[in-house]
Amino acid sequence: DGFGRSVTGPLGSNPGGEKVSPSDRVASATDTGRGVRIVYSGVGASADSYIESRCLDAKAITEGKTTGQLIVVSNDSMIRMVGT
């Protein structure tokens, strides 16, 4: 009947740990020094939405002209559409 049995699961009583800090929610970037930037989109944000936003920002700056400054490689059709 489970009387007296612990109800704490294998991950403990608080499996999510501490709440997500504001700094974890913000995207962070690291430049490799070889023309490549690695971006972590942050907790709660998808990589796709970050890429879409960057593509749209670049299009607004260049008035839709291709400059070669932002190169996105993806097999995701939505990302490919936004990137062109």
Side-chain angles (χ1 to χ4, degrees):
D1 70 0
F3 179 76
R5 187 181 70 172
S6 173
V7 293
T8 303
L11 298 177
S13 61
N14 188 8
E18 297 295 319
K19 290 185 177 182
V20 177
S21 69
S23 63
D24 289 335
R25 296 178 192 270
V26 178
S28 62
T30 304
D31 286 321
T32 64
R34 297 184 175 147
V36 175
R37 178 182 295 164
I38 301 169
V39 178
Y40 298 97
S41 59
V43 175
S46 74
D48 287 355
S49 65
Y50 178 85
I51 294 168
E52 289 173 19
S53 174
R54 294 293 297 168
C55 287
L56 293 173
D57 290 346
K59 281 183 177 182
I61 291 170
T62 64
E63 298 175 349
K65 297 175 187 163
T66 303
T67 64
Q69 296 296 312
L70 177 65
I71 300 171
V72 178
V73 179
S74 177
N75 66 351
D76 184 298
S77 59
M78 181 58 110
I79 296 298
R80 292 174 71 175
M81 185 176 72
V82 172
T84 57

